[in-house]
Amino acid sequence: MDSFFVAAKAVLPIFLLLLVGVFVRYRKMLTETELIRVNGFVFKVFFPFLMFYNIYTSDLSANLDARLIAFAVCGVLTEYALAVLVVCRIEKSSRSRGAMIQALYRSNYVLLGLPLVENICGSGGLGAAAVISAVIVPLYNVLAVITLEVFRGGKVRPGRILLQVVRNPLILGALAGVLSLLLKIDYPDVLLDVAADLSGASTPVALIILGATFNFAALKKCGRNTVICTAGRLVVVPALAMTAAALLGFRGDAFVILLVAFAAPCAVSSFTMAQQMDSDADLAAGSVVLTSALSVATIFLWIVLFRNLGMF
C-alpha cells in the first residue's frame, strides 16, 4: 500500500495539471497559435530559470555523480543505437524513420522528469536531476539533428549542430547555474526570489499547455508506427534501462532519476523538430500525444513495481 501512495503522490499532480490543459482546449480558451506561442515562452523563459535555480541552489560537488552521468549517457546512446537498428529493419520510409527513432530514444525528461523526481524524492533530488538534464538534453538535440538530417537526405553540418546545442535555452540556463556556482557569485535575494518564482511556475504552466495541445485526431493518421513508438518508449526502453540500472547497483534517488529519465514519454520538442526538418510530423505528433496520455499509467506502474522491489 505504501508503494501505491508513493506512486499516486508522484503521478496524480501531473495528471491533474494535464486535465486542466485538456479543459482549456475543450473550452477553446487558447487558439492553436496562442498555444504555440505560450509553449515557446515556457521553453525560452521558464525552463532556463528552472535549470539555473535548481543547479544554483544545490550542492554541485555532491550532485556530480560521475557514475550516474555515465550510465545516463551510455543508456541514451544504447537506446538510440537499438532504435536505429529496429526502425531501419521494420520501416521502409526514410521520412518516417527519423520521426520513429526520435520518438523511441528522446524522452520528455525536463517537463515530466524533474517534477516526478521532486514528488518522489523531495527538493533534495532536484540538484542531481538538473545535472543529468544538463548532460542528456544536449545529447538528445545532437542526435535528433543528425538523425532527421540523415533521413531526409541532407548533409550533416557539425557547425550547425553545435550552434543549435549552444543556443538551447535549457543548456544556457544550466551553464548559468554551473558558472555561478563555480565563480561563487552571490546574487541579491530579490533576484533569487524572482528566479525561484519563475522556476516554480515552469512545471505547472508547461503541463497545462501540454494537456491543451493534445490533439487526439493526430492518432488516426499514424496507426502501426505510433503503437510501436509508444510501446518502445513506455515499456521496452524503461524495462531494459532499469534492469541494467538495478544490476549495476543504483538505488535510492539515483534510481528514481534514471527511472523518470527513461520512462518519460516522447519529448514535445520532437514534434517541432520533425516538422521543421521535413520528417513525418503526423507520426511525431501522434507519438507525443499517445505516450504523454498513457505515461500517467505506465509511470505509476513502474514506480509501484520498483518501490515494491526496494529500489528506492
Side-chain angles (χ1 to χ4, degrees):
M1 186 60 72
D2 175 63
S3 300
F4 176 85
F5 285 122
V6 170
K9 181 183 177 183
V11 174
L12 189 57
I14 292 173
F15 176 69
L16 293 176
L17 286 168
L18 290 173
L19 280 184
V20 172
V22 173
F23 178 75
V24 168
R25 183 181 185 87
Y26 173 74
R27 298 290 297 182
K28 298 181 180 179
M29 297 179 184
L30 294 172
T31 66
E32 294 291 341
T33 301
E34 289 170 338
L35 285 172
I36 293 173
R37 288 178 177 175
V38 175
N39 194 43
F41 175 77
V42 171
F43 182 70
K44 295 176 181 177
V45 178
F46 283 174
F47 277 175
F49 277 99
L50 173 68
M51 297 295 293
F52 165 79
Y53 188 76
N54 286 339
I55 291 177
Y56 181 76
T57 56
S58 68
D59 183 351
L60 190 60
S61 60
N63 290 317
L64 282 177
D65 187 337
R67 188 164 171 266
L68 180 62
I69 293 172
F71 183 92
V73 171
C74 291
V76 171
L77 293 175
T78 301
E79 64 178 335
Y80 175 78
L82 291 174
V84 172
L85 290 174
V86 172
V87 170
C88 289
R89 189 175 184 85
I90 65 175
E91 177 56 48
K92 302 302 181 184
S93 169
S94 291
R95 189 167 179 270
S96 295
R97 282 176 172 177
M100 288 184 71
I101 292 169
Q102 192 180 201
L104 286 168
Y105 86 84
R106 191 176 186 183
S107 78
N108 208 359
Y109 177 63
V110 175
L111 179 53
L112 291 178
L114 293 181
L116 277 169
V117 171
E118 184 175 21
N119 291 345
I120 298 172
C121 307
S123 58
L126 280 177
V131 170
I132 293 297
S133 178
V135 173
I136 64 174
V137 167
L139 184 57
Y140 283 158
N141 289 335
V142 169
L143 294 175
V145 173
I146 293 174
T147 302
L148 297 177
E149 197 69 65
V150 167
F151 283 105
R152 75 171 178 179
K155 182 180 179 181
V156 177
R157 301 178 178 87
R160 179 183 174 187
I161 295 173
L162 179 61
L163 183 62
Q164 285 200 6
V165 172
V166 171
R167 293 172 60 181
N168 187 291
L170 299 177
I171 306 306
L172 293 176
L175 286 176
V178 171
L179 290 176
S180 296
L181 280 179
L182 294 178
L183 297 176
K184 297 181 179 180
I185 299 175
D186 188 14
Y187 294 103
D189 289 342
V190 64
L191 293 181
L192 289 179
D193 288 343
V194 172
D197 290 339
L198 290 171
S199 173
S202 61
T203 296
V205 174
L207 288 172
I208 290 172
I209 296 302
L210 176 59
T213 56
F214 278 6
N215 181 8
F216 292 99
L219 299 179
K220 299 178 182 178
K221 303 178 181 179
C222 308
R224 181 201 71 155
N225 287 345
T226 306
V227 173
I228 292 173
C229 291
T230 300
R233 180 67 254 159
L234 299 182
V235 180
V236 178
V237 166
L240 294 175
M242 300 323 298
T243 298
L247 292 175
L248 289 173
F250 287 98
R251 298 292 186 273
D253 289 358
F255 190 90
V256 172
I257 290 170
L258 293 174
L259 173 60
V260 298
F262 288 102
C266 299
V268 177
S269 56
S270 63
F271 163 68
T272 304
M273 290 195 68
Q275 192 176 50
Q276 292 176 348
M277 299 183 68
D278 302 324
S279 187
D280 191 336
D282 287 334
L283 173 57
S287 298
V288 170
V289 170
L290 193 57
T291 57
S292 297
L294 295 181
S295 67
V296 174
T298 57
I299 290 174
F300 177 88
L301 293 174
W302 285 123
I303 293 172
V304 170
L305 172 64
F306 289 116
R307 178 78 174 180
N308 282 327
L309 292 175
M311 296 295 105
F312 58 91

